[in-house]
Amino acid sequence: MRDNRCTHCAGCHIGRRPCLASATVGSRAWLLIEHPGPWGEDVDTMTLPPPIAEAVARARRHGVRPQLIRAPRRRRVTPPLRVYAGFSGPGGDVWLEGRELEDPEELADLDLAAVGAGHAPGFGVPVAGPVFLVCTHGRHNACCARVGAPLARFLHERFGEVWETTHVGGDRYAANLVCLPHGLFYGDLDERRALVAAEEYRRGRVVLEGFRGRGGQPESSQAAEHFVRARTGVLGVGDVTVESMAGDVAVVRARTARYRLRVEQRPMSACGPGCGEDVRTYVERDLTLLNATALV
């Protein structure tokens, strides 16, 4: 059995390190399935009811990221089980649908090919407000449960749609928060930082403290967005868009202004076994405001 103990350095989990450009890059599409547990080490290999296991496998085939979710503090008896499908696309191409299923077999009717392509399948009803996920996957890494579970309970008492979830990437950044439907990742959160991030997201704004980036985008693009937001103070969720990324050079729009900048990858010292995925960060180089002529 894999050693899932927390071996991270003393600076982890308390916001004392850079926390940039580390959101999951693999997928912009989401499938959330309520499953109280127990959760094994990995969603793809754990023993699940056959309809859920089949939905997870189909999601992977269509480029959709499957996450198991459960209610904080208590384990709901299921069915019914809550299911969400969503897409965190670039620009305004963002949506989230939710539905309660009386029978897990109903998952077979979910068009995951459409979800993976960014199209709302009409499987559930549109979700008006944000949904928050806190990683508490202790079998994957103990620190996620140790710092994530109390945070999930804290946020659940203040906001409606807060769920514990399986691994979201970046154990070293626990406690991790994902804000849907936009797929914004935050890490190194304590209660204060998480509360501010959640409240600002509900108002349509990004907070730079603890901001890990947008899921489904390359890390270099996440870094470019972060640096432009930091320089300009433009924090609206949809107000900053990375229009292009060629090598290490990005063109980023912030409202009506455009910027060109270069992002440079820098190594960070690994803090222990299992940290190989998170031993890089980025620094900003040559940020320039572009005028209309320069873009012709």
Side-chain angles (χ1 to χ4, degrees):
M1 181 178 294
R2 186 174 66 86
D3 185 356
N4 72 334
R5 291 174 297 177
C6 180
T7 56
H8 300 141
C9 65
C12 288
H13 316 317
I14 54 175
R16 292 180 182 171
R17 301 170 299 102
C19 192
L20 298 177
S22 58
T24 298
V25 303
S27 177
R28 292 187 173 101
W30 299 84
L31 173 63
L32 316 179
I33 303 174
E34 185 176 3
H35 180 64
W39 294 341
E41 292 180 12
D42 184 83
V43 172
D44 297 296
T45 59
M46 71 178 65
T47 300
L48 294 169
I52 296 178
E54 198 278 331
V56 167
R58 279 198 302 124
R60 292 293 192 199
R61 290 198 298 271
H62 293 294
V64 178
R65 181 180 179 89
Q67 296 283 144
L68 302 181
I69 58 174
R70 62 190 178 198
R73 194 177 295 281
R74 62 189 179 87
R75 301 291 179 258
R76 289 205 327 165
V77 177
T78 59
L81 71 158
R82 188 70 172 167
V83 174
Y84 298 91
F87 192 72
S88 305
D93 191 12
V94 173
W95 53 267
L96 189 67
E97 295 183 349
R99 173 174 166 179
E100 282 201 340
L101 307 184
E102 292 297 331
D103 187 341
E105 295 285 354
E106 296 175 62
L107 284 166
D109 298 327
L110 174 56
D111 187 350
L112 287 168
V115 176
H119 306 307
F123 182 73
V125 298
V127 178
V131 171
F132 298 106
L133 307 179
V134 180
C135 180
T136 62
H137 198 168
R139 288 290 298 276
H140 189 93
N141 193 288
C143 57
C144 295
R146 179 175 59 82
V147 298
L151 184 65
R153 293 192 293 268
F154 171 80
L155 291 177
H156 188 259
E157 292 171 357
R158 287 153 181 82
F159 305 106
E161 295 293 313
V162 178
W163 298 88
E164 297 184 12
T165 192
T166 46
H167 183 57
V168 299
D171 302 325
R172 136 181 225 189
Y173 293 100
N176 284 296
L177 173 70
V178 181
C179 305
L180 295 176
H182 289 85
L184 305 186
F185 280 59
Y186 287 89
D188 283 348
L189 295 182
D190 59 12
E191 290 182 354
R192 178 192 65 81
R193 288 190 291 272
L195 188 61
V196 170
E199 287 179 338
E200 287 300 287
Y201 182 64
R202 287 164 63 91
R203 298 184 179 106
R205 294 195 291 263
V206 172
V207 176
L208 293 182
E209 185 178 22
F211 183 45
R212 292 182 54 196
R214 247 177 234 260
Q217 292 189 359
E219 289 186 354
S220 54
S221 295
Q222 296 174 28
E225 177 184 343
H226 181 106
F227 291 131
V228 169
R229 288 187 182 279
R231 284 291 197 102
T232 64
V234 176
L235 298 176
V237 170
D239 288 345
V240 177
T241 304
V242 179
E243 295 187 335
S244 66
M245 192 83 211
D248 60 355
V249 177
V251 174
V252 182
R253 178 187 290 275
R255 294 184 182 146
T256 59
R258 277 169 152 173
Y259 299 85
R260 177 185 288 121
L261 72 154
R262 183 166 59 89
V263 293
E264 180 180 313
Q265 192 177 84
R266 288 285 183 86
M268 293 173 62
S269 58
C271 60
C275 286
E277 62 176 312
D278 295 320
V279 295
R280 302 173 305 279
T281 191
Y282 290 82
V283 294
E284 166 206 321
R285 297 282 187 246
D286 310 323
L287 190 148
T288 306
L289 174 65
L290 298 174
N291 57 30
T293 302
L295 293 171
V296 174

